[in-house]
């Protein structure tokens, strides 16, 4: 299971490396822009989340969601208009796309 997360992390890093340099050296996630007003929220049943990630379809920007206290709900705020793939990582190392 740990191998899947490592592969996922490597894929995300490779796909966003040009943007991560644009947002600052060492930054993995894209900084939210105050003027963007997009929102995605949701929840899962039967799992506790450790991460919720939204990847733009062109794979140039990656956003990290805030999680609720129980770890079952997530909320992305200040997203630009666009299409996103969601990747949810659970406490027991499952990856849900």
């Amino acid at each position: 299971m740990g191998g899947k997360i490592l592969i996922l992390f490597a894929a995300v890093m490779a796909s966003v490396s040009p943007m991560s340099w644009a947002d600052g050296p060492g930054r993995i996630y894209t900084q939210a822009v105050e003027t963007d007003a997009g929102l995605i929220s949701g929840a899962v049943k039967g799992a506790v989340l450790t991460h919720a990630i939204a990847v733009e379809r062109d794979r140039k920007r990656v956003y990290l969601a805030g999680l609720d206290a129980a770890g079952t709900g997530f909320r992305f705020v200040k997203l630009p208009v666009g299409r996103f793939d969601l990747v949810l990582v659970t406490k027991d190392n499952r990856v849900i796309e």
Side-chain angles (χ1 to χ4, degrees), residues 51-93:
H51 295 82
I53 303 166
V55 182
E56 263 190 336
R57 287 281 171 102
D58 62 7
R59 305 212 187 311
K60 290 186 180 177
R61 292 184 278 190
V62 176
Y63 299 89
L64 181 65
L67 302 176
D68 65 13
T72 58
F74 59 90
R75 182 177 171 98
F76 297 92
V77 294
K78 296 185 175 101
L79 291 175
V81 174
R83 299 178 100 188
F84 296 90
D85 293 320
L86 299 183
V87 179
L88 308 176
V89 181
T90 66
K91 191 173 182 177
D92 61 351
N93 295 323

Side-chain angles (χ1 to χ4, degrees), residues 1-9 12 44 47-53 86-97:
M1 290 293 178
K4 284 184 180 180
I5 290 177
L6 184 58
I7 291 169
L8 173 66
F9 180 74
V12 169
V44 296
V48 176
L49 299 174
T50 59
H51 295 82
I53 303 166
L86 299 183
V87 179
L88 308 176
V89 181
T90 66
K91 191 173 182 177
D92 61 351
N93 295 323
R94 288 184 289 152
V95 176
I96 304 165
E97 295 184 59

Side-chain angles (χ1 to χ4, degrees), residues 16-31:
V16 298
S17 61
M19 185 56 72
S20 66
W21 283 106
D23 280 356
R27 186 173 308 281
I28 296 172
Y29 303 108
T30 304
Q31 293 271 21

